[in-house]
Amino acid sequence: VELRADLSKMDWYAYNDCFGTSEEKTLIKYIEGIKDKLLEKYVEFYLVRNENDLKIYSFKTGATFEPDYILFLRRKGKGKKFDNLQIFIEPKGENLRKQDAWKQEFLLELNKRLRVQWSTDVNNYNIWGVPFFTKQDNEKFIDAFNKEIIANTIPCN
């Protein structure tokens, strides 16, 4: 897979360059490949590299985790409201999958345990995790992405 891309032409990607791993570059190419499907379901979307800006904590151990990417999605909600979704994505090389398995477990646990509450009732929000994004074995990620994000089934509070 050719990993070079002109990121300045991708208005949904928050940066003009990517100095990340090959898995991160493959993720960007994947999102570019499904951009039209996303725009059928969402008013807008943005992929942001988490540069130590956001930390989340394991429900079980309190261990710190900084997901590599956050995909922000906005869809039309009820009335004048919008549903705003934050999808945590972690590209992962095969060499780190086993030792970081707790992170994937935690990402998937978010979908069941996390209840998002905001001090505004203007829009709805939800935070969601998906399985690791890997280059070699991406079936779980793509399946979850298609069922939940492309199919637009994530509930909002």
Side-chain angles (χ1 to χ4, degrees), residues 20 22 27 109 133:
S22 60
L27 170 66
E109 195 176 7
F133 179 90

Side-chain angles (χ1 to χ4, degrees), residues 111-137:
N111 307 346
K112 297 174 186 141
R113 292 186 56 181
L114 187 66
R115 298 291 174 257
V116 180
Q117 293 183 335
W118 301 86
S119 60
T120 177
D121 64 352
V122 176
N123 290 303
N124 299 315
Y125 298 88
N126 203 341
I127 296 173
W128 207 256
V130 291
F132 285 159
F133 179 90
T134 61
K135 285 195 312 187
Q136 290 82 10
D137 180 22

Side-chain angles (χ1 to χ4, degrees), residues 31-45 73-76 145-146 149-153:
I31 299 294
E32 176 64 16
I34 62 164
K35 173 182 76 170
D36 292 337
K37 286 183 181 180
L38 287 171
L39 289 173
E40 286 175 16
K41 304 287 183 175
Y42 300 95
V43 176
E44 58 188 332
F45 74 93
L73 300 158
R74 186 168 224 214
R75 67 185 177 201
K76 186 72 177 104
F145 207 86
N146 284 335
I149 298 162
I150 299 294
N152 202 9
T153 62

Side-chain angles (χ1 to χ4, degrees), residues 20-139:
T21 65
S22 60
E23 285 80 12
E24 292 180 40
K25 293 175 183 181
T26 303
L27 170 66
I28 293 167
K29 295 289 272 189
Y30 172 76
I31 299 294
E32 176 64 16
I34 62 164
K35 173 182 76 170
D36 292 337
K37 286 183 181 180
L38 287 171
L39 289 173
E40 286 175 16
K41 304 287 183 175
Y42 300 95
V43 176
E44 58 188 332
F45 74 93
Y46 301 97
L47 183 65
V48 177
R49 175 76 165 89
N50 181 22
E51 298 289 345
N52 300 319
D53 294 316
L54 174 83
K55 292 181 183 182
I56 52 181
Y57 299 86
S58 166
F59 293 114
K60 292 180 182 175
T61 66
T64 304
F65 173 37
E66 296 176 16
D68 286 341
Y69 284 88
I70 305 167
L71 179 64
F72 293 93
L73 300 158
R74 186 168 224 214
R75 67 185 177 201
K76 186 72 177 104
K78 294 179 182 172
K80 294 182 180 181
K81 289 186 177 186
F82 283 91
D83 293 339
N84 298 284
L85 308 166
Q86 296 178 22
I87 313 298
F88 295 143
I89 302 175
E90 180 74 5
K92 191 63 63 184
E94 287 300 318
N95 59 324
L96 297 173
R97 268 178 99 162
K98 193 171 187 174
Q99 78 182 45
D100 286 349
W102 72 271
K103 293 178 181 179
Q104 178 167 263
E105 181 183 320
F106 174 59
L107 285 172
L108 299 175
E109 195 176 7
L110 285 173
N111 307 346
K112 297 174 186 141
R113 292 186 56 181
L114 187 66
R115 298 291 174 257
V116 180
Q117 293 183 335
W118 301 86
S119 60
T120 177
D121 64 352
V122 176
N123 290 303
N124 299 315
Y125 298 88
N126 203 341
I127 296 173
W128 207 256
V130 291
F132 285 159
F133 179 90
T134 61
K135 285 195 312 187
Q136 290 82 10
D137 180 22
N138 239 354
E139 288 178 28

